[in-house]
């Protein structure tokens, strides 16, 4: 170390801040929210395991939602098919009943004619 | 490293001279230096849970103070380099002359360009090694070494012009 280095070190000694500096800093700190809550949020986000767990939970929630949606759609489709089948069955039954009624009427008319003839 | 209020107060008292001195010698204005130093400690309070040790706190304080002060200088650019006429003449022998020489040296350092002043302050006030200065300033160690060489040469030139004789 040469003469200039020594002189610079002596000349550039640290100097104290104005009186009451620490108190003014602490007063400003008192107005700050506790760093603990912020730290917790930061920690949760910046820990890889927790980040992966959060991502996995989000994927699980999304998958459950999609699964539920698909299930709902399937049930709706099945209900629609069943309704169509019931309507078809009712239509078939209705037409069969009409045919049967016409035949009954025809038979009744034939019997009347026989009775009249006798 | 989560600290309670008492622990944080202790940290402020332990490092206030370091933070204030770096800020003051970078920005060359006491009121700005105090405001800047307060901001640094406030930021420290927010960051404290993430700092792992006392050494980490010290390194963090030097780094953030350096960055903030250099940012201020870059944005302000309002103070011209001090003219040598403002520096008092060194006189007399003995301790009195040492005091005057030190005072003159401080003013000559203060008149250096921003980057030169930054490396000189960190090297001689904080007694940091070039690789530590490199980490604080975010530049390669080789850059710090060359800046130190150039800054010292510049300072020697100023001293020689000022006192009329070279300092080795």
């Amino acid at each position: 170390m040469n003469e200039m280095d020594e002189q610079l070190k002596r000349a550039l000694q640290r100097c104290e801040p104005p009186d009451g500096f620490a108190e003014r800093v602490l007063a400003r700190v008192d107005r700050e929210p506790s760093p603990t809550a912020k730290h917790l949020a930061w920690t949760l986000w910046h820990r890889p395991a927790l980040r992966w767990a959060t991502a996995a939970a989000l994927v699980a929630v999304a998958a459950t939602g999609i699964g539920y949606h698909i299930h709902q759609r399937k049930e709706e489709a099945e209900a629609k098919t069943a309704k169509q089948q019931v309507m078809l069955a009712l239509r078939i039954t209705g037409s069969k009943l009409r045919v049967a009624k016409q035949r009954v009427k025809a038979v009744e008319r034939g019997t009347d004619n026989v009775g009249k003839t006798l | 490293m989560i600290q309670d209020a008492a622990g944080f107060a202790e940290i402020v008292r332990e490092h206030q001279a370091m933070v204030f001195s770096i800020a003051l010698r970078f920005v060359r204005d006491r009121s700005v230096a105090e405001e800047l130093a307060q901001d640094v400690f406030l930021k420290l309070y927010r960051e404290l849970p993430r700092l792992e040790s006392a050494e980490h706190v010290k390194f963090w304080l030097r780094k953030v103070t350096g960055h903030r002060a250099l940012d201020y200088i870059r944005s302000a650019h309002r103070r011209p380099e001090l003219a040598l006429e403002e520096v008092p003449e060194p006189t007399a022998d003995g301790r009195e002359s040492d005091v005057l020489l030190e005072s003159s040296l401080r003013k000559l350092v203060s008149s250096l360009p921003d980057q030169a002043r930054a490396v000189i302050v960190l090297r001689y006030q904080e007694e940091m090694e070039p690789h530590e200065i490199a980490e604080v300033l975010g530049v390669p160690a080789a850059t710090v070494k060359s800046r130190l060489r150039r800054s010292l040469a510049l300072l020697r030139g100023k001293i020689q012009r000022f006192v009329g004789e070279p300092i080795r």
Side-chain angles (χ1 to χ4, degrees), chain B residues 24-75:
Chain B
L24 179 62
R25 297 213 162 106
F26 275 41
V27 303
R28 300 177 294 193
D29 180 311
R30 283 185 77 83
S31 61
V32 171
E34 171 166 359
E35 195 182 327
L36 203 144
Q38 281 191 23
D39 289 346
V40 169
F41 279 114
L42 204 64
K43 189 172 166 63
L44 173 70
Y45 179 73
R46 295 176 192 137
E47 298 288 318
L48 207 49
R50 293 194 272 285
L51 303 181
E52 291 151 7
S53 64
E55 270 307 302
H56 194 182
V57 168
K58 191 175 179 184
F59 172 78
W60 186 95
L61 282 170
R62 281 169 161 169
K63 184 175 181 173
V64 172
T65 309
H67 284 185
R68 289 251 170 150
L70 286 174
D71 284 347
Y72 173 82
I73 293 166
R74 277 189 213 109
S75 63

Side-chain angles (χ1 to χ4, degrees), chain A residues 44 47-60:
Chain A
L44 287 174
R47 282 193 180 163
L50 287 169
R51 212 161 44 199
W52 280 113
T54 308
L58 288 173
V59 168

Side-chain angles (χ1 to χ4, degrees), chain B residues 88-151:
Chain B
E89 289 285 335
T91 56
D93 291 326
R95 180 62 200 147
E96 193 184 351
S97 72
D98 285 349
V99 171
L100 282 173
L101 179 63
E102 285 166 18
S103 169
S104 303
L105 257 180
R106 275 194 294 276
K107 292 194 176 183
L108 288 170
V109 168
S110 184
S111 73
L112 287 172
D114 301 337
Q115 297 289 352
R117 196 168 68 252
V119 290
I120 291 286
V121 168
L122 293 176
R123 179 74 184 98
Y124 293 101
Q125 176 189 293
E126 293 304 312
E127 300 190 17
M128 292 167 73
E129 295 299 324
H131 73 272
E132 294 174 306
I133 299 172
E135 283 185 63
V136 166
L137 297 180
V139 295
T143 305
V144 171
K145 286 177 187 169
S146 65
R147 275 186 197 171
L148 262 174
R149 274 195 299 275
R150 282 202 304 272
S151 305

Side-chain angles (χ1 to χ4, degrees), chain A residues 77-91:
Chain A
E78 282 173 358
K80 193 175 173 184
T81 306
K83 187 181 170 185
Q84 285 170 345
Q85 284 172 349
V86 168
M87 294 304 290
L88 181 63
L90 285 173
R91 273 198 297 275

Side-chain angles (χ1 to χ4, degrees), chain A residues 1-26 28-30 32-36 38-39 42, chain B residues 2 8-9 12-13 16-18 20-21 24-25 34 37-39 41-42 45-46 49-50 101-102 105-106 109 120 124-127 152 155-156 167-168:
Chain A
M1 187 153 294
N2 61 29
E3 186 189 351
M4 188 171 172
D5 288 342
E6 288 296 341
Q7 284 175 340
L8 276 169
K9 279 189 180 179
R10 279 199 302 275
L12 297 178
Q13 295 285 317
R14 287 176 185 168
C15 47
E16 289 298 322
D19 286 344
F21 173 82
E23 287 68 27
R24 286 190 288 279
V25 170
L26 296 174
R28 283 182 70 181
V29 163
D30 277 344
E32 281 279 301
S34 163
T36 313
K38 285 182 187 172
H39 174 60
W42 189 92
Chain B
I2 299 175
F8 181 71
V12 174
R13 290 196 175 90
Q16 60 181 3
M18 176 185 83
F20 178 72
S21 301
L24 179 62
R25 297 213 162 106
E34 171 166 359
Q38 281 191 23
D39 289 346
F41 279 114
L42 204 64
Y45 179 73
R46 295 176 192 137
R50 293 194 272 285
L101 179 63
E102 285 166 18
L105 257 180
R106 275 194 294 276
V109 168
I120 291 286
Y124 293 101
Q125 176 189 293
E126 293 304 312
E127 300 190 17
L152 285 171
L155 195 57
R156 277 197 191 91
I167 291 183
R168 277 174 295 278

